[in-house]
Amino acid sequence: MGKVFICDHPLIQHKLTYIRDENTTTKAFRELVDEVATLMAYEITRNIPLETVTVKTPVATTESKIISGRMLGLIPILRAGLGMVDGILKLIPAAKVGHIGLYRDPETLLPVEYYTKLPTDVTERQLIVIDPMLATGGSAIAAINVLKKRNCTQIKLMCLIAAPEGVRALQEAHPDIDLYVAAIDDHLNDHGYIIPGLGDAGDRLFGTK
Ligand code: PRP
Ligand code: URA
């Protein structure tokens, strides 16, 4: 079964409170999501492989470690996943970015795929699927299906807030996938919104409501 990691660093939890706050402006919301994505990237990359290189300091030559940033791929789910990409690229600038466009049909709550563009070497990369919200789990499950159909095998999921229903659905559909979240909230309401959540992540990021 995939593990669930709750990123409970005080800085992440502090910023998440302001992300939730309905009085936070679009500008501040975007900045806070970007900052939390950077902090969560620190957690999610904890176990990525290192390689040894030789480095010459001003006084000696020594062996030292570097990470292989070119082996990572970030896969934001459009739209809201875009809000977390730059924050992660600050730490891993060599990562490539693939996009999967999905929206939830407001009636059925089922994800509808409308766009996919992935790096050509996507199967060789360790992939981080990014979406601020894991509600019913339908969008994340569909995005991971897209990647698995293309023979990707190393996939993690990063979200800001998850509903327990979404976590269960993800674990049933993809028991091999580890999930990193800042919080697991109480429940979903009848419209599939996470309670207490933060509202509609895409609308709050892009100021569309
Ligand atoms: C939101 C969110 C997730 C999805 C989560 O996107 O960004 O992708 O809902 O819900 P689920 O777990 O029930 O699938 P939305 O469909 O509102 O599209 P948008 O990002 O374009 O606004
Ligand atoms: N998508 C969002 O943006 N927010 C929710 O609470 C659920 C799905």
Side-chain angles (χ1 to χ4, degrees):
M1 183 65 70
K3 296 193 196 72
V4 179
F5 296 92
I6 303 196
C7 302
D8 58 0
H9 191 287
L11 284 172
I12 295 176
Q13 296 302 315
H14 174 86
K15 290 175 193 294
L16 183 63
T17 300
Y18 291 97
I19 288 172
R20 290 184 188 277
D21 188 337
E22 66 174 359
N23 293 316
T24 297
T25 63
T26 300
K27 176 176 182 288
F29 185 91
R30 205 178 283 146
E31 288 167 357
L32 287 160
V33 168
D34 179 78
E35 289 167 7
V36 169
T38 305
L39 295 167
M40 290 184 72
Y42 184 78
E43 301 277 359
I44 203 167
T45 53
R46 181 170 292 280
N47 294 316
I48 59 174
L50 291 168
E51 60 187 62
T52 304
V53 294
T54 304
V55 64
K56 197 167 174 304
T57 78
V59 286
T61 297
T62 186
E63 299 212 314
S64 195
K65 308 281 186 192
I66 59 166
I67 60 167
S68 204
R70 66 184 176 280
M71 296 315 294
L72 281 165
L74 310 182
I75 314 289
I77 301 177
L78 306 180
R79 289 177 296 172
L82 290 176
M84 299 175 76
V85 171
D86 286 349
I88 303 174
L89 285 175
K90 276 180 203 145
L91 286 191
I92 316 162
K96 286 195 178 167
V97 182
H99 297 86
I100 297 181
L102 295 169
Y103 69 86
R104 284 202 317 182
D105 181 295
E107 301 295 324
T108 65
L109 300 183
L110 293 174
V112 182
E113 186 183 338
Y114 61 87
Y115 182 78
T116 297
K117 183 79 180 175
L118 301 172
T120 48
D121 58 355
V122 70
T123 55
E124 293 158 37
R125 291 179 178 264
Q126 298 196 31
L127 303 177
I128 305 175
V129 175
I130 307 162
D131 194 326
M133 310 306 274
L134 184 73
T136 63
S139 303
I141 290 168
I144 294 166
N145 284 340
V146 168
L147 295 173
K148 286 187 172 175
K149 263 194 210 135
R150 293 174 193 227
N151 299 320
C152 300
T153 53
Q154 309 176 74
I155 306 169
K156 291 178 179 173
L157 175 63
M158 182 198 282
C159 304
L160 284 186
I161 301 178
E165 294 90 331
V167 176
R168 280 196 293 275
L170 174 78
Q171 289 181 327
E172 263 172 42
H174 295 296
D176 55 320
I177 300 294
D178 289 346
L179 167 67
Y180 289 73
V181 287
I184 297 183
D185 276 7
D186 196 60
H187 68 282
L188 289 180
N189 71 11
D190 293 344
H191 303 287
Y193 275 84
I194 300 176
I195 305 297
L198 54 72
D200 187 300
D203 284 340
R204 294 199 62 194
L205 265 172
F206 297 110
T208 40
K209 219 175 235 173

